Amino acid sequence: MAYQLCDGFSVNTGYFTASTTIRGVFDSPSETFNKDKHSIIFQFNQGEKLRAEIPNIEVSILGVAESSAVILQVTDVKSGSVNDLLTPGRNLKILGSKIKVTGEDPSVGIYFVDATTQAKTKVEQSDIVINNPSEVMVVIPELPSGSYNLEIVTQFTDRSMLKQPRTALLDKPLTVE
């Protein structure tokens, strides 16, 4: 199906029809495709079989969708450990959503919180190596052995800055051996 779509054909499965569409304005009949000006998308439209199933769908509202900052996974780059070990002085790759560390509030930053004492160790701004909305990489501070919780405090949002910072927490403890 993917090869057919990439070759410009439409595919009808009975459940849906998929087709390839080029978006953008061509200024003349002889103008060629320009990826800076034009884009290619795949469109999917429901077919008769799928449309016939709509009355049989049961809807369960499970709550409000999570739209705030969230940390999904961390990887200790030195050991390759995922959501487990920390190697002080080495890189920690943090993946999530809306976790870019930005804002004027003094609390904005990345913290390792000692699970026993609740003492917070803030990552220095200069130790934030990558700072993107879905990926942040930091140099792990010199932490003593123990268990830590990771939190990111930010005012980042997709549109404009938040007035009040929000906190994203990793739901798994991390360990320095």
Side-chain angles (χ1 to χ4, degrees):
M1 184 183 301
Y3 291 122
Q4 292 290 320
L5 288 169
C6 290
D7 285 341
F9 293 97
S10 291
V11 178
N12 186 342
T13 67
Y15 290 98
F16 63 87
T17 301
S19 61
T20 308
T21 303
I22 297 175
R23 292 238 171 119
V25 176
F26 288 84
D27 295 324
S28 72
S30 60
E31 183 179 4
T32 59
F33 178 81
N34 176 344
K35 66 179 180 180
D36 295 328
K37 187 176 173 184
H38 308 107
S39 63
I40 299 172
I41 63 166
F42 297 112
Q43 290 187 311
F44 295 83
N45 295 310
Q46 64 190 12
E48 199 173 309
K49 289 181 182 179
L50 194 57
R51 197 172 14 260
E53 290 300 318
I54 291 174
N56 302 324
I57 296 173
E58 288 185 33
V59 177
S60 298
I61 305 297
L62 303 176
V64 179
E66 181 63 47
S67 64
S68 63
V70 62
I71 301 171
L72 299 173
Q73 174 180 302
V74 298
T75 304
D76 181 84
V77 176
K78 168 77 172 159
S79 67
S81 172
V82 175
N83 295 341
D84 187 20
L85 299 177
L86 295 172
T87 307
R90 302 306 288 258
N91 287 341
L92 182 69
K93 181 178 182 180
I94 307 166
L95 300 177
S97 175
K98 299 180 185 171
I99 58 173
K100 182 176 182 173
V101 181
T102 187
E104 298 297 321
D105 191 282
S107 67
V108 167
I110 300 172
Y111 298 88
F112 290 92
V113 183
D114 188 300
T116 307
T117 67
Q118 298 303 306
K120 291 185 175 188
T121 303
K122 187 174 184 177
V123 175
E124 292 182 31
Q125 185 66 34
S126 62
D127 285 341
I128 300 176
V129 182
I130 296 173
N131 192 15
N132 294 322
S134 61
E135 177 186 13
V136 175
M137 187 175 295
V138 300
V139 177
I140 301 167
E142 291 300 325
L143 301 168
S145 296
S147 184
Y148 294 88
N149 295 308
L150 177 67
E151 65 181 46
I152 296 177
V153 180
T154 183
Q155 289 176 273
F156 176 79
T157 184
D158 293 334
R159 294 170 294 282
S160 60
M161 288 286 220
L162 295 171
K163 291 179 184 174
Q164 297 295 319
R166 64 176 162 204
T167 302
L169 300 168
L170 179 66
D171 62 358
K172 299 167 182 66
L174 303 170
T175 306
V176 174
E177 296 181 334

